């Protein structure tokens, strides 16, 4: 059995409070590198157990939100035992329902870095995570899947693993599903925007209500986020990436920020509780933030990302439905 690792949400919540180094140390407490016991885990050649044997252990951080089988985006981060986040190289991703059996893969990954925060002049809380790896994976069937990432440099190998629940039923922002039309607040003046947006300064992706956007025949890109109150402090940077795309694709698509916690006329956001979530956020039944969703001109969800989402991949997903 492979060691358990924290979900991205658990990790990012702790990151906001403690910082990357402290959390990574906690994630890897008690573990050492290079198989200190000297005993090889039981597993066939090409299995995750075999990959883990003799490898430096990493924490693999990813969403544990349920997904459907099939081809999809898998975003993840890798943290070493000293708290440093790996942001170079091309980790290979592997899948298995049994860590002792031969794994599926490898799936190549690409590193994407946040750039929008500085480019857009954001002053909202900022995550310490500089970016994320993304791999396109293909999961053949439902089940409780193991996901592993390996990096090799010469004779040195590093390994991290986590879990991914794969189900046949409905999942958040389900690819191929009809996007939920819901009225969201609209404003164009600074005073009006400060009543419906927690970004500092406010963003301008509130010029059209989400239900109107989904009905006008254009593709729509949505950010479900709350820059000021985000547990992971990732909402602002992710929204900034969408702002960059909106500038590059102005007039070709709708761009809508669905604020999770509406400040109201006094411009003071409510407590970040489930009861205080905005009607737009509640209608989509999301349990985490941020989410970035690309919807085609017919109102069908074609791409989504939970957590980090960068301008190049958002724009690439949008180009497919323009």
């Amino acid at each position: 059995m492979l060691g358990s690792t924290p979900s991205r949400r658990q990790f990012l919540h702790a990151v906001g409070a403690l910082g990357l180094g402290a959390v990574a140390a906690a994630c890897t407490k008690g573990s050492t590198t290079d198989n200190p016991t000297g005993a090889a885990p039981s597993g066939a050649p090409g299995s995750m157990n075999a990959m883990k044997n003799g490898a430096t252990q990493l924490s693999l951080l990813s969403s544990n939100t349920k997904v459907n089988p099939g081809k999809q985006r898998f975003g993840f981060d890798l943290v070493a035992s000293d708290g440093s986040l790996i942001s170079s190289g091309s980790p290979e991703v592997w899948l298995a329902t049994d860590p002792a059996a031969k794994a599926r893969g490898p799936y190549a990954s690409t590193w994407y870095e946040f750039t929008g925060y500085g480019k857009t002049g954001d002053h909202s809380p900022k995550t310490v995570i500089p970016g994320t790896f993304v791999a396109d994976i293909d999961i053949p069937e439902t089940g409780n899947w193991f996901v592993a990432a390996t990096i090799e440099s010469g004779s040195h190998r590093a390994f991290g693993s986590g879990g991914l629940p794969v189900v046949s039923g409905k999942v958040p922002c389900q690819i191929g599903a009809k996007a939920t039309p819901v009225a969201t607040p609209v404003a164009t003046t600074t005073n009006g925007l400060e009543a419906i947006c927690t970004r500092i300064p406010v963003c301008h992706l509130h010029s059209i209500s989400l239900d109107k956007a989904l009905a006008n025949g254009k593709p729509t890109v949505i950010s479900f986020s709350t820059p000021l109150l985000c547990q992971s402090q990732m909402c602002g940077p992710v929204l900034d990436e969408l702002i960059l795309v909106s500038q590059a694709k102005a007039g070709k698509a709708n761009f809508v920020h669905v604020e999770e916690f509406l400040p109201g006329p006094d411009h003071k956001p409510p407590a970040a509780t489930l009861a205080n979530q905005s009607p737009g956020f509640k209608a989509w039944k999301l349990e985490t933030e941020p989410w970035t969703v690309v919807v085609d001109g017919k109102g069908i969800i074609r791409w989504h990302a939970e957590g980090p989402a960068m301008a190049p991949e958002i724009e690439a997903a949008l180009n497919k439905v323009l």
Side-chain angles (χ1 to χ4, degrees):
M1 189 71 172
L2 297 175
S4 63
T5 55
S7 70
R8 185 194 293 271
R9 181 168 178 80
Q10 291 170 327
F11 171 75
L12 293 175
H13 174 63
V15 162
L18 300 176
L20 182 62
V23 176
C27 291
T28 57
K29 184 178 181 182
S31 68
T32 56
T33 62
D34 300 324
N35 193 22
T37 65
S42 175
S47 69
M48 290 185 183
N49 281 350
M51 295 175 195
K52 182 178 181 181
N53 184 35
T56 298
Q57 296 301 293
L58 304 173
S59 291
L60 184 149
L61 312 165
S62 65
S63 170
N64 63 348
T65 298
K66 294 177 181 178
V67 300
N68 293 140
K71 295 180 180 180
Q72 56 200 280
R73 173 191 187 274
F74 177 69
F76 64 99
D77 288 295
L78 294 169
V79 181
S81 59
D82 64 358
S84 60
L85 187 138
I86 295 171
S87 58
S88 62
S90 299
E92 294 184 327
V93 177
W94 306 81
L95 302 171
T97 54
D98 181 350
K102 184 175 175 60
R104 294 174 59 90
Y107 301 95
S109 67
T110 301
W111 172 257
Y112 290 98
E113 189 163 342
F114 284 118
T115 63
Y117 189 90
K119 291 180 180 179
T120 61
D122 194 355
H123 296 288
S124 305
K126 181 183 179 182
T127 177
V128 299
I129 299 294
T132 193
F133 286 107
V134 175
D136 292 321
I137 62 175
D138 190 0
I139 309 174
E141 60 189 14
T142 61
N144 292 318
W145 285 78
F146 293 95
V147 184
T150 58
I151 303 179
E152 294 192 12
S153 178
S155 61
H156 182 76
R157 186 174 74 259
F159 173 95
S161 65
L164 185 63
V166 183
V167 300
S168 59
K170 189 174 181 180
V171 297
C173 302
Q174 187 169 28
I175 303 299
K178 193 79 172 177
T180 302
V182 57
T184 55
V186 173
T188 55
T189 66
T190 299
N191 184 64
L193 288 167
E194 287 178 348
I196 63 174
C197 182
T198 64
R199 185 177 182 270
I200 305 170
V202 291
C203 80
H204 293 268
L205 306 187
H206 300 274
S207 62
I208 185 172
S209 176
L210 181 55
D211 58 345
K212 302 296 184 184
L214 294 175
N216 69 6
K218 289 183 179 181
T220 299
V221 190
I222 315 163
S223 173
F224 294 92
S225 58
T226 181
L228 183 63
L229 302 176
C230 196
Q231 288 186 353
S232 66
Q233 299 184 339
M234 190 169 287
C235 292
V238 170
L239 178 57
D240 298 335
E241 297 295 314
L242 181 55
I243 290 173
L244 294 182
V245 178
S246 73
Q247 294 169 348
K249 299 293 183 179
K252 296 182 179 180
N254 307 298
F255 298 91
V256 181
H257 171 208
V258 178
E259 171 62 54
E260 185 176 2
F261 299 105
L262 299 173
D266 61 359
H267 300 175
K268 295 180 180 179
T273 65
L274 292 176
N276 289 334
Q277 285 181 329
S278 69
F281 204 93
K282 287 180 178 178
W284 279 63
K285 299 180 181 179
L286 300 177
E287 297 181 357
T288 60
E289 79 283 313
W291 282 80
T292 308
V293 182
V294 174
V295 182
D296 68 18
K298 296 181 180 180
I300 304 300
I301 296 172
R302 296 303 181 187
W303 182 90
H304 69 237
E306 179 188 9
M310 312 307 174
E313 53 172 345
I314 299 172
E315 186 169 351
L318 175 59
N319 285 338
K320 292 181 179 179
V321 298
L322 286 176

